[in-house]
Amino acid sequence: AQSVAQPEDQVNVAEGNPLTVKCTYSVSGNPYLFWYVQYPNRGLQFLLKYITGDNLVKGSYGFEAEFNKSQTSFHLKKPSALVSDSALYFCAVRVGTGGFKTIFGAGTRLFVKA
Amino acid sequence: EADIYQTPRYLVIGTGKKITLECSQTMGHDKMYWYQQDPGMELHLIHYSYGVNSTEKGDLSSESTVSRIRTEHFPLTLESARPSHTSQYLCASSDPRGGTSTDTQYFGPGTRLTVL
């Protein structure tokens, strides 16, 4: 079955420290992988995506994600966390082109403490 | 900032009322979606559309209906609201007409619905 998992409900990190939000997937074919962020009382915002090419993808607000095909992972990272990064992060995966199926993970809440 | 709009942002109504949640996008996107999300929880796809006159039900069973008469407009209607419909409803769109399909979704700000 196709799925995407975010194993941590919550991640806590101190401001200035590096952060990682984990995502693993299980799909057939070549996945399109996405990260979205949701700030309080807001809709989701697109952060970054992996379609093909370089395994390290850079996105908005200094975030990056690394696609690891052998581990079927797409972890979100940032070298130095900010308090303003505190939000709900969703990993999503879509397979193929033209057709419709995007699966969202359950979300990981990131708390960055000053 | 994506050009996708939802109205109203907040709505409190009584049981049995008919309501329509509005969603419009000015990006020329073919695909549009409605998600239901309890605050801080996962998203559930309830409806989607590939284009005008195309609508499909999503993964989560919903008593709502949608229409897509114009490309830019994708309203969601509840014929008779119930307390179990209390939730946040997010509209999204993707894929510019004639562009390469990647399904990067752009979300509206959401409508928070409370049914008393």
Side-chain angles (χ1 to χ4, degrees):
Chain A
Q2 298 177 90
S3 64
V4 59
Q6 294 180 243
E8 302 155 316
D9 290 335
Q10 184 172 310
V11 170
N12 298 306
V13 65
E15 188 173 35
N17 284 1
L19 70 87
T20 299
V21 183
K22 296 180 181 177
C23 173
T24 59
Y25 64 91
S26 174
V27 297
S28 55
N30 295 319
Y32 288 9
L33 294 156
F34 303 83
W35 277 102
Y36 293 86
V37 60
Q38 186 176 34
Y39 297 102
N41 300 315
R42 302 274 296 276
L44 275 72
Q45 295 179 34
F46 166 72
L47 263 184
L48 52 79
K49 66 184 175 188
Y50 171 84
I51 305 298
T52 186
D54 193 347
N55 289 344
L56 184 65
V57 180
K58 294 188 183 295
S60 306
Y61 312 120
F63 283 92
E64 57 189 27
E66 186 167 13
F67 170 63
N68 188 318
K69 189 172 183 178
S70 63
Q71 297 186 5
T72 62
S73 68
F74 189 56
H75 301 331
L76 181 70
K77 299 181 180 184
K78 187 173 183 181
S80 179
L82 299 172
V83 172
S84 57
D85 292 330
S86 299
L88 186 58
Y89 290 82
F90 289 94
C91 181
V93 61
R94 206 211 80 173
V95 179
T97 59
F100 176 90
K101 187 65 176 182
T102 297
I103 305 167
F104 284 83
T108 298
R109 188 166 295 282
L110 173 68
F111 286 102
V112 181
K113 187 176 180 181
Chain B
E1 199 74 23
D3 296 319
I4 179 164
Y5 309 98
Q6 291 185 244
T7 57
R9 291 291 310 277
Y10 302 91
L11 181 61
V12 181
I13 60 166
T15 297
K17 300 291 185 183
K18 178 180 178 179
I19 60 168
T20 295
L21 307 185
E22 301 289 348
C23 176
S24 294
Q25 51 96 4
T26 59
M27 296 174 283
H29 287 174
D30 284 329
K31 297 178 184 175
M32 296 189 74
Y33 317 79
W34 275 104
Y35 293 89
Q36 185 175 338
Q37 182 194 27
D38 290 331
M41 304 295 285
E42 59 192 298
L43 289 93
H44 298 283
L45 179 68
I46 49 175
H47 296 283
Y48 62 96
S49 168
Y50 281 122
V52 171
N53 295 326
S54 156
T55 62
E56 301 287 343
K57 288 187 180 293
D59 298 327
L60 180 68
S61 175
S62 173
E63 295 162 342
S64 58
T65 59
V66 291
S67 63
R68 190 88 182 274
I69 297 172
R70 303 197 317 265
T71 299
E72 61 271 21
H73 195 214
F74 191 41
L76 180 144
T77 298
L78 277 168
E79 291 292 333
S80 179
R82 295 208 299 269
S84 60
H85 295 138
T86 295
S87 189
Q88 176 166 248
Y89 293 84
L90 294 173
C91 180
S93 69
S94 70
D95 290 338
R97 206 174 306 157
T100 302
S101 171
T102 66
D103 270 344
T104 301
Q105 296 188 28
Y106 295 90
F107 286 81
T111 294
R112 184 153 294 179
L113 174 65
T114 302
V115 184
L116 303 175

